[in-house]
Amino acid sequence: MTRYDQPYSPGGFQVMPPAIKAIIITNVIVFLFQNSVFGSALTTYGALWPIGSNNSAGYSFHLWQPITYLFLHGSFAHIFFNMFALWMFGVEIENYWGTRNFVSFYFTCGIGAALINLVATYGSPYPTIGASGAIFGVLLAFGMMFPDRYIYLYFLLPVKTKYFVAGYALIEFISGLGNRTMGSGSDIAHFAHLGGMLFGYIYIVIRRNEWTIKRMFRNVSLPKKSKGPVLWQGGGKDDDTSEAEIDRILDKISSRGYDSLTAEEKRKLLKAGKR
């Protein structure tokens, strides 16, 4: 069982968990500023401008824009549907993964969406704004966590989440190609949406498999000085973890989740599994 398969719900299920609440409030506040005397400056310097942008005003890309563009929206409908989708698909994810993991995932998807969009829009004179890239990553995560749950399109047609997400991704891909090949003036950043889903998928696969630098080199150790060649150094008293200790660790996982284990407990559990 991986951390993404466990019913992880810190403090019980929350209808409006902390990260989603903070993201929505921040977006609403920024949107209000956008519609004030500060609006023009916010959009000018916070939007994601393409690299090599060719525009008459001389606006250009800056390093902070892959984050700031996530909090800017073009209209009430734009921010309303983005925040509604974030709440609808993100609540269960944050409750299962915890706030810290959710925040990390959200901004990974958002920044990843920005990187893909920068590649797809190189030289364009138009900027990109909105949280859609990050939210498409959240949608993908929801589909991977609950693939057989039904979503009702237009409140009428039931579709399994896995087919809904796959269909949405296909539509975005075709629409993005259409914009590129036909020179469409669409103001929808299709490749940013796909970028959010791509980086969300990569993030989930890495976390599911615990692919970390430490783990990849966990079994590599330097040989101690000896008279003959040493091909592998292992063993020792740390390998002798008692069954009682393993039972205690498994009980802790059952009651509090895998994330509650210390690094040492995870190491002991891994060694016991190899034995």
Side-chain angles (χ1 to χ4, degrees):
M1 180 180 290
T2 68
R3 71 180 65 196
Y4 289 96
D5 298 321
Q6 297 180 53
Y8 174 53
S9 180
F13 187 89
Q14 300 180 60
V15 175
M16 186 64 75
I20 290 179
K21 181 191 296 184
I23 292 170
I24 291 176
I25 291 174
T26 303
N27 274 273
V28 170
I29 291 173
V30 172
F31 183 71
L32 293 176
F33 273 103
Q34 280 185 269
N35 289 275
S36 70
V37 294
F38 305 102
S40 178
L42 278 175
T43 303
T44 297
Y45 295 103
L48 181 67
W49 289 93
I51 296 175
S53 178
N54 181 19
N55 59 77
S56 58
Y59 302 139
S60 60
F61 171 77
H62 295 284
L63 290 178
W64 61 78
Q65 293 172 358
I67 296 177
T68 56
Y69 89 107
L70 290 168
F71 298 96
L72 299 170
H73 291 84
S75 66
F76 175 78
H78 190 195
I79 188 173
F80 174 80
F81 286 109
N82 270 355
M83 295 302 99
F84 179 72
L86 172 64
W87 173 79
M88 183 168 66
F89 296 110
V91 165
E92 288 189 81
I93 297 175
E94 184 176 347
N95 276 289
Y96 272 66
W97 293 358
T99 296
R100 184 176 63 179
N101 282 333
F102 180 81
V103 170
S104 176
F105 177 78
Y106 181 85
F107 283 102
T108 295
C109 294
I111 295 172
L115 296 178
I116 297 298
N117 194 66
L118 287 173
V119 174
T121 62
Y122 180 84
S124 169
Y126 305 110
T128 299
I129 58 174
S132 302
I135 292 169
F136 266 77
V138 172
L139 174 62
L140 175 84
F142 188 87
M144 293 180 70
M145 288 181 65
F146 311 105
D148 294 318
R149 182 176 295 184
Y150 283 97
I151 293 177
Y152 287 84
L153 293 180
Y154 305 107
F155 303 100
L156 294 174
L157 181 63
V159 179
K160 285 189 175 181
T161 307
K162 57 186 176 184
Y163 301 130
F164 176 81
V165 173
Y168 224 135
L170 180 61
I171 291 172
E172 290 295 317
F173 180 72
I174 294 173
S175 299
L177 286 181
N179 286 354
R180 296 290 293 177
T181 57
M182 299 177 63
S184 169
S186 172
D187 58 355
I188 300 175
H190 298 289
F191 282 107
H193 298 169
L194 291 171
M197 298 179 88
L198 173 64
F199 274 76
Y201 178 78
I202 294 172
Y203 182 99
I204 291 173
V205 169
I206 289 175
R207 294 301 300 270
R208 275 183 170 175
N209 292 280
E210 299 280 344
W211 290 346
T212 63
I213 299 297
K214 182 178 179 181
R215 183 178 183 187
M216 287 190 291
F217 291 96
R218 180 176 290 165
N219 295 324
V220 178
S221 56
L222 295 175
K224 296 180 179 179
K225 291 182 179 180
S226 61
K227 296 181 180 179
V230 178
L231 301 180
W232 179 79
Q233 184 72 31
K237 64 179 181 180
D238 288 342
D239 290 337
D240 299 327
T241 305
S242 68
E243 289 188 14
E245 177 68 6
I246 296 301
D247 288 340
R248 183 191 67 77
I249 294 173
L250 292 176
D251 288 340
K252 187 174 180 180
I253 293 175
S254 178
S255 61
R256 297 168 56 187
Y258 181 81
D259 279 342
S260 66
L261 299 184
T262 64
E264 179 65 17
E265 288 171 333
K266 291 177 182 178
R267 186 188 66 80
K268 289 181 178 179
L269 188 62
L270 179 67
K271 283 185 175 291
K274 288 181 178 180
R275 292 203 303 270

